[in-house]
Amino acid sequence: MTLKEKIETNYKNSLKSKNKVEISTYRLILSGIKDIDIINRSGSDIKETDDEDIKKLLKKMIKQRTESIDIYKKNDRMDLLEVEQNEFDLLSSFLPQQLNDEETKKICIDTISKLGAASIKDMGKVMSELKKSYPDNLDFAKAGPLLKELLNK
């Protein structure tokens, strides 16, 4: 079962159970997938929308929710925070489990030593290696600042 089929099945189940939060979140996802389908059908490189395209969409949506959650926490808006957190949890359920802070730091340190990176100038090389080795389960929003810290020592 492809990721798109799984999302569509879950959407139908949420319609049956009348879960408003899930319904609206699945509609957002499916709308984004339709946009990707349109982009993939037009232009010079015509291709089918695959799981990788959908994962990129989900990561983008998760990043948006994360930013909103931070803003709502700062402004003490618990009503909006709860909605965003529910959407975040639902979106995250379709991606592999993200590594925690300790695991991220260990991987960053290991990659720096493996590549022999010595300064901030090597950050691009390290990030490239991390994206190649851990594309789905490393949170690059956390890894970037951590790499800057580690390479500036």
Side-chain angles (χ1 to χ4, degrees):
M1 179 183 281
T2 66
L3 197 51
K4 183 178 180 180
E5 291 168 343
K6 186 176 177 183
I7 291 168
E8 288 171 342
T9 302
N10 288 358
Y11 172 61
K12 290 174 187 170
N13 291 336
S14 67
L15 284 172
K16 290 176 187 172
S17 66
K18 298 180 181 174
N19 186 328
K20 291 182 181 182
V21 174
E22 286 185 8
I23 291 170
S24 66
T25 306
Y26 283 124
R27 283 184 178 155
L28 286 171
I29 298 169
L30 292 171
S31 173
I33 292 171
K34 284 181 183 173
D35 290 343
I36 293 171
D37 284 341
I38 291 168
I39 292 168
N40 286 342
R41 283 189 308 228
S42 59
S44 58
D45 295 334
I46 297 174
K47 69 172 196 148
E48 285 292 316
T49 302
D50 58 6
D51 283 355
E52 290 306 311
D53 292 331
I54 296 172
K55 285 179 184 177
K56 285 179 188 174
L57 170 70
L58 291 172
K59 286 178 185 178
K60 180 180 173 188
M61 293 175 84
I62 287 171
K63 183 178 180 188
Q64 291 169 339
R65 299 306 176 285
T66 304
E67 291 169 356
S68 296
I69 287 170
D70 290 341
I71 291 169
Y72 295 148
K73 280 181 183 175
K74 287 177 188 171
N75 294 315
D76 201 31
R77 292 296 309 264
M78 295 306 152
D79 53 332
L80 297 173
L81 175 68
E82 186 179 335
V83 172
E84 291 294 321
Q85 187 64 51
N86 289 336
E87 288 181 2
F88 175 87
D89 293 341
L90 189 113
L91 292 166
S92 298
S93 70
F94 292 103
L95 296 176
Q97 184 66 37
Q98 296 289 301
L99 299 171
N100 65 30
D101 292 343
E102 274 183 37
E103 294 167 327
T104 301
K105 186 172 185 174
K106 183 182 181 330
I107 287 170
C108 288
I109 291 170
D110 292 346
T111 305
I112 288 171
S113 63
K114 177 179 142 187
L115 296 175
S119 71
I120 197 75
K121 292 178 184 175
D122 299 322
M123 187 167 165
K125 185 169 48 169
V126 176
M127 275 300 244
S128 174
E129 180 64 27
L130 288 173
K131 285 183 180 182
K132 191 167 43 173
S133 302
Y134 306 96
D136 290 334
N137 41 355
L138 186 66
D139 184 354
F140 293 98
K142 291 179 185 175
L146 182 61
L147 283 175
K148 281 182 185 176
E149 179 186 319
L150 293 169
L151 291 170
N152 275 329
K153 288 184 178 177

